[in-house]
Amino acid sequence: QVQLVESGGGLVQPGGSLRLSCAASGSIFSIYIMGWYRQAPGKDRELVAAITSGGSTNYGDSVKGRFTISMDNAKNTVYLHMNSLKPEDTAVYYCNAEGTSDYDSEEFDNWGQGTQVTVSS
């Protein structure tokens, strides 16, 4: 079983910065892509950023130029560096990983439990 654990969420003032981390562990053979999604109350879950093991990235329009996603392939960990935070960024942020299990060679697409990010003065 593959587990995803997020960390780094919390309360930050507008204009501030925060770094989220997501570590994947368990029966992992390889990870193809990891990403961050967020969901605010009353809204649909949306893509924040995603990155492949080869380094290709994709960002949601609302965070381009402010957020940066990176991945440590050796540690199966993805990071989200958030700068110039706005109140509109307030949401629960979820980590996602897709890859192949080392236990049964099956594909997996797993989610973390989420971490709360609140941007408020």
Side-chain angles (χ1 to χ4, degrees):
Q1 186 175 356
V2 177
Q3 311 288 336
L4 300 178
V5 180
E6 301 106 331
S7 62
L11 175 65
V12 64
Q13 294 183 346
S17 299
L18 206 61
R19 187 187 75 166
L20 305 183
S21 300
C22 174
S25 62
S27 301
I28 300 171
F29 179 74
S30 65
I31 293 177
Y32 314 138
I33 187 170
M34 298 187 75
W36 291 95
Y37 296 75
R38 68 186 183 187
Q39 187 168 25
K43 296 185 178 181
D44 295 330
R45 186 173 298 188
E46 64 176 353
L47 170 71
V48 177
I51 185 169
T52 69
S53 60
S56 297
T57 59
N58 187 30
Y59 293 92
D61 290 339
S62 63
V63 307
K64 289 180 179 178
R66 299 188 298 120
F67 292 8
T68 302
I69 189 170
S70 62
M71 183 176 181
D72 186 332
N73 292 333
K75 297 181 179 180
N76 289 326
T77 300
V78 66
Y79 305 93
L80 184 68
H81 298 83
M82 304 184 292
N83 299 313
S84 301
L85 283 162
K86 306 174 181 179
E88 305 92 271
D89 296 317
T90 297
V92 177
Y93 285 69
Y94 297 91
C95 178
N96 172 259
E98 301 175 29
T100 301
S101 173
D102 190 41
Y103 175 74
D104 56 8
S105 298
E106 294 287 338
E107 300 288 311
F108 67 83
D109 184 354
N110 287 11
W111 294 83
Q113 292 184 277
T115 184
Q116 177 71 47
V117 173
T118 302
V119 184
S120 176
S121 59

